[in-house]
Amino acid sequence: MTAAPSMSPADSHLPSGHLIQRMPAVRGRLTADAPLAPVTWFRVGGPAEVMFRPADADDLADFLAALPAEVPVTVIGVASNLLVRDGGVPGVTIRLGRGFTDIVADGMTVTAGAAALDLNVAMVARDAGIAGLEFLSGIPGTIGGALRMNGGAYGRELADVLVSATAVARDGRRLEFSHAGMGFTYRHSAAPEDCIFTGAVLRGEPGNPLEIARRMAEISDKRADSQPVRSRTGGSTFKNPAPEISGGHKAWELIDKAGCRGLSIGDAQVSEKHCNFLINNGTATAAQLEALGEEVRRRVFETSGVTLDWEIKRIGVPAEGSTAQ
């Protein structure tokens, strides 16, 4: 028996023709015009035209198989490295929830759902005496995000520990990727852009839980000392350029040399503490944050000849008539 779409009570009052009225039946939850700003770390951005929170991987696969091919699909995690534009996100925004958060340690491997927090995965590995995954505690995101961008911190990246990953294709097909099939490079995976990761198997090595805990505490202290972790930020804004292009300089060094530390547009500001972080000091809009990032890129290119690439993922459309003033 097919489940009926699960929608919020407010959805019944939507005007005729709203996209949510074309959605397939689901076991999870569909919400029209779902606010996204409250879930992003920047606390900015417009709504999702339709938000879908699947119950599990089968629900996700069935939904995608039945969803009209012309409907755009966007995936978000905990939105820690994400900028949602002020006009919102057209189509369907998918956010994985409880059905994708399980974490199981077995021997020297950890199997984790795509919505599992990187920190939680590191903690499960620690408790099981699995070393080598401590770096995940320094990444404020989920395993799904780490898979998509080969997330890394403190000298290691997901490519160093991944065994395999599972995903669902845009047409609902179930996929599995080997390590080689992920095509990892710096902050990038070659997996199809339209596939949605559902989980991963990671491998570590035998370790002492107390020593692992000590290394995780060091990572936590380093983050607190060097990054604006208590601000409304989106994490590292730009990727570190290749050393042969930048002369060995990291992104923050190029930004600092370009005189951008503390630069602001409205309440959007380049962090004084770590200038590869943008922060929202109160009422910044997504347009202001993006404009500030583009101004930083312009000044860095002008002073060093290096073009910085965004690490923060920007999604959605600008608000009509929006400005960055």
Side-chain angles (χ1 to χ4, degrees):
M1 182 176 178
T2 303
S6 174
M7 297 181 285
S8 65
D11 295 339
S12 61
H13 303 294
L14 291 168
S16 176
H18 192 286
L19 178 62
I20 199 167
Q21 294 160 357
R22 298 171 54 201
M23 294 296 97
V26 299
R27 289 183 289 108
R29 185 170 185 82
L30 290 163
T31 307
D33 303 324
L36 291 177
V39 306
T40 72
W41 286 33
F42 275 127
R43 297 295 190 268
V44 300
E49 187 175 5
V50 172
M51 171 76 83
F52 175 43
R53 307 224 28 183
D56 50 36
D58 289 336
D59 193 29
L60 174 62
D62 291 345
F63 173 82
L64 290 173
L67 185 69
E70 70 273 13
V71 177
V73 172
T74 303
V75 183
I76 66 172
V78 290
S80 57
N81 200 223
L82 184 71
L83 182 63
V84 178
R85 295 186 174 107
D86 300 305
V89 184
V92 176
T93 298
I94 295 176
R95 192 177 193 210
L96 306 185
R98 292 182 182 178
F100 302 84
T101 57
D102 287 349
I103 307 169
V104 178
D106 181 14
M108 288 298 108
T109 65
V110 177
T111 301
L117 295 176
D118 298 325
L119 172 60
N120 290 348
V121 174
M123 292 171 67
V124 168
R126 174 201 64 197
D127 295 345
I130 302 172
L133 305 185
E134 298 91 331
F135 74 97
L136 289 170
S137 67
I139 304 176
T142 63
I143 289 298
L147 286 165
R148 176 56 64 191
M149 63 179 295
N150 189 18
Y154 303 98
R156 301 208 83 190
E157 57 190 12
L158 203 71
D160 297 325
V161 298
L162 183 78
V163 176
S164 62
T166 54
V168 177
R170 173 60 180 83
D171 60 8
R173 288 176 298 119
R174 305 292 282 268
L175 306 174
E176 183 163 353
F177 296 93
S178 64
H179 181 284
M182 289 292 290
F184 282 133
T185 53
Y186 174 67
R187 297 297 177 269
H188 177 75
S189 160
E193 283 292 328
D194 61 356
C195 78
I196 300 174
F197 290 110
T198 55
V201 178
L202 312 177
R203 185 182 301 280
E205 57 194 34
N208 183 297
L210 292 178
E211 178 61 22
I212 295 169
R214 184 190 65 77
R215 288 197 291 268
M216 288 173 60
E218 288 179 354
I219 289 172
S220 178
D221 290 344
K222 286 180 181 178
R223 282 192 70 226
D225 289 344
S226 64
Q227 300 175 11
V229 294
R230 300 190 182 281
S231 300
R232 294 179 179 181
T233 184
S236 295
T237 306
F238 303 106
K239 300 176 184 178
N240 287 321
E244 60 270 21
I245 294 175
S246 68
H249 296 296
K250 293 186 175 180
W252 76 264
E253 294 173 305
L254 297 172
I255 294 168
D256 207 15
K257 287 184 177 183
C260 296
R261 186 182 293 269
L263 182 68
S264 63
I265 296 178
D267 271 354
Q269 183 183 31
V270 176
S271 171
E272 296 272 8
K273 192 170 189 177
H274 191 314
C275 53
N276 195 22
F277 283 65
L278 302 182
I279 56 177
N280 175 5
N281 281 322
T283 61
T285 63
Q288 289 173 328
L289 286 160
E290 188 167 12
L292 179 59
E294 289 298 331
E295 176 62 14
V296 168
R297 295 180 74 235
R298 187 190 69 78
R299 293 191 185 195
V300 167
F301 181 77
E302 191 175 72
T303 56
S304 68
V306 176
T307 299
L308 293 178
D309 292 327
W310 283 86
E311 183 170 327
I312 286 176
K313 184 177 180 181
R314 296 160 293 156
I315 64 172
V317 297
E320 289 186 15
S322 67
T323 68
Q325 301 303 314

